[in-house]
Amino acid sequence: MEFFGAGIDRMAAYAGLLAGDGVERGLIGPREVPRLWERHLLNCAVIAELIPVGAAVDDVGSGAGLPGIVLGLCRPDLRITLVEPLLRRSVFLDEACAELGLPDVTVVRQRAEDRKGAGADVVTARAVAPMDRLARWCLPVLRPGGVLLALKGASASDELVEHDVAIRRAGGRDCEVVIVGTGVVDPPTTVVRVVRNPAAQDRPVRDRKKGGRS
């Protein structure tokens, strides 16, 4: 994979972890193994172009480390925190970071709600929840003016329209759908980008509703 350049060996090592321990621990489905590079690694790596140099990034609901570990491998300038509430997932993330040589990537066993006021420059989220809940959970993690990057599917535009009021009520503005990775990954990656309104006030975060990520 020319896209990864000199980092291809460590990315391949991560792919091996996902295909082995990741499947055995139930973090990724066995049917995903043949398409790890296209559907998962490249799909996540191409969002790096949306993140400023030296940014503090919280990867909420990190799961198996997508996109947080991928970004850590691609962009050593970033200060990344993998936020994952489940023990078995956070243990895997700790082990993966140690094996891949990512000492500056931090793993915290927390929910997004527990990170309120963290002051991150960027929050990433992939396959975590609909945009109304993501906005409510993730925007308070950002500094004013910080950016939420939610990796979504083909229905991203419809979801953004459906939850526009809720996103703005949670303190979001300048909402847009961004397509990245054209010519690198097929299909390209769809990202919903939301800026935290600098004038927004933090609101109490209600408990997660049934149907959120477990």
Side-chain angles (χ1 to χ4, degrees):
M1 294 284 181
E2 295 181 2
F3 178 82
F4 294 112
I8 186 64
D9 289 341
R10 287 205 299 169
M11 197 64 67
Y14 178 45
L17 286 175
L18 291 176
D21 283 353
V23 172
E24 291 173 9
R25 300 186 192 190
L27 303 183
I28 191 165
R31 293 183 179 181
E32 297 302 308
V33 172
R35 51 186 184 177
L36 274 176
W37 287 93
E38 287 284 331
R39 185 178 176 87
H40 298 287
L41 303 183
L42 280 167
N43 175 263
C44 291
V46 293
I47 73 166
E49 68 180 68
L50 302 177
I51 302 176
V53 174
V57 180
D58 268 28
D59 182 32
V60 165
S62 193
L66 300 164
I69 286 181
V70 173
L71 292 172
L73 292 170
C74 292
R75 292 280 304 275
D77 61 292
L78 301 178
R79 294 166 287 140
I80 297 175
T81 301
L82 308 179
V83 183
E84 173 53 54
L86 291 188
L87 179 60
R88 64 185 174 88
R89 292 174 178 169
S90 62
V91 168
F92 172 83
L93 293 172
D94 272 322
E95 294 173 356
C97 288
E99 187 164 336
L100 296 169
L102 294 171
D104 296 328
V105 176
T106 302
V107 180
V108 296
R109 188 184 171 200
Q110 290 182 321
R111 301 183 306 166
E113 295 93 320
D114 301 324
R115 297 287 293 171
K116 180 179 177 180
D121 299 307
V122 175
V123 168
T124 57
R126 183 177 190 256
V128 174
M131 284 306 305
D132 56 341
R133 277 180 274 166
L134 272 185
R136 193 168 69 244
W137 298 341
C138 296
L139 290 176
V141 179
L142 291 162
R143 63 168 174 77
V147 176
L148 167 62
L149 299 175
L151 282 73
K152 291 288 183 176
S155 61
S157 295
D158 293 338
E159 188 177 342
L160 194 55
V161 170
E162 178 184 356
H163 298 300
D164 179 71
V165 173
I167 293 169
R168 295 181 185 281
R169 187 178 296 132
R173 73 174 193 186
D174 301 333
C175 309
E176 62 178 337
V177 175
V178 182
I179 305 297
V180 291
T182 302
V184 176
V185 61
D186 186 22
T189 301
T190 301
V191 180
V192 172
R193 183 180 185 274
V194 181
V195 176
R196 182 183 179 188
N197 191 336
Q201 298 293 317
D202 287 334
R203 297 171 181 265
V205 179
R206 293 176 290 179
D207 290 339
R208 292 174 184 260
K209 295 180 180 178
K210 184 177 180 181
R213 185 171 183 169
S214 59

